[in-house]
Amino acid sequence: MLESHRIISIELDERTVIWRNADVEQERRVAIFDLLEGNCFRPLGIAHDGPYRLLLRVEEGRLVMDLSDEARTPLGSVQLRLAPFQRTIRSYFAICDSYYKAIRNASPSAIETIDMARRGIHNDAATLLRERLEGKVEMDFDTARRLFTLICVLHIRQ
């Protein structure tokens, strides 16, 4: 992909977010920072080579990615049904909860075991995201992982 096929700004629609704990907020910050530091992202069917500004939101059970150019001119949206991700998102939340609890008082080997499981779920979710966006968006694996983290953040309602 070309150097211009990348995300230069990403925002989350915060209208539905009630509260996030410090661990989740840190995950959000790290995912956005890492994503902006290096990503490959190319929406198909949009007559613009990037770079892109991206607004992520969840609407009626769909992930909506609103795209704009550097000058904030709207370019269109990409939508994705989230139903295929519900089980993965629940599993990811559960393993993350276990991980956050473990890092406070578990042994290093227990933390490592939980972290390996967490990474496995995260990797599977990134693969699923790339598969579900096939024909809509091309992206590298690391970009998909970070976007999955942000999708999870958008699902937090408590």
Side-chain angles (χ1 to χ4, degrees):
M1 284 192 263
L2 298 174
E3 175 65 27
S4 62
H5 291 152
R6 62 189 172 86
I7 298 166
I8 58 167
S9 171
I10 189 160
E11 295 178 36
L12 304 181
D13 181 357
E14 302 285 346
R15 290 178 296 167
T16 59
V17 175
I18 297 169
W19 172 83
R20 287 188 206 116
N21 69 33
D23 294 323
V24 172
E25 189 57 27
Q26 178 64 15
E27 290 277 329
R28 182 197 64 80
R29 280 193 300 270
V30 169
I32 289 174
F33 178 83
D34 289 347
L35 187 113
L36 295 176
E37 283 295 304
N39 68 80
C40 295
F41 183 88
R42 180 177 169 234
L44 305 174
I46 292 180
H48 183 73
D49 285 332
Y52 306 97
R53 292 180 175 279
L54 186 62
L55 170 65
L56 294 180
R57 58 190 169 93
V58 174
E59 187 174 288
E60 298 179 8
R62 295 184 176 278
L63 172 68
V64 180
M65 294 185 275
D66 292 322
L67 301 157
S68 59
D69 65 13
E70 289 177 280
R72 300 184 189 278
T73 303
L75 299 171
S77 295
V78 175
Q79 295 188 20
L80 177 68
R81 281 182 350 109
L82 288 171
F85 294 89
Q86 293 306 320
R87 177 177 289 148
T88 305
I89 290 170
R90 280 192 304 270
S91 297
Y92 187 68
F93 282 158
I95 198 74
C96 284
D97 187 49
S98 296
Y99 176 76
Y100 296 138
K101 289 176 183 172
I103 60 175
R104 288 178 177 85
N105 57 18
S107 70
S109 64
I111 294 169
E112 184 177 344
T113 299
I114 294 168
D115 190 44
M116 287 175 57
R118 182 175 75 128
R119 288 174 191 256
I121 292 169
H122 206 164
N123 288 343
D124 291 346
T127 299
L128 178 61
L129 182 59
R130 289 180 74 194
E131 289 170 0
R132 302 295 298 180
L133 285 171
E134 191 172 325
K136 295 180 179 185
V137 176
E138 291 177 352
M139 70 180 78
D140 67 339
F141 186 76
D142 288 338
T143 300
R145 283 184 100 252
R146 293 167 184 140
L147 284 176
F148 177 74
T149 300
L150 298 175
I151 291 167
C152 288
V153 169
L154 285 172
H155 275 80
I156 295 172
R157 298 283 185 262
Q158 51 183 344

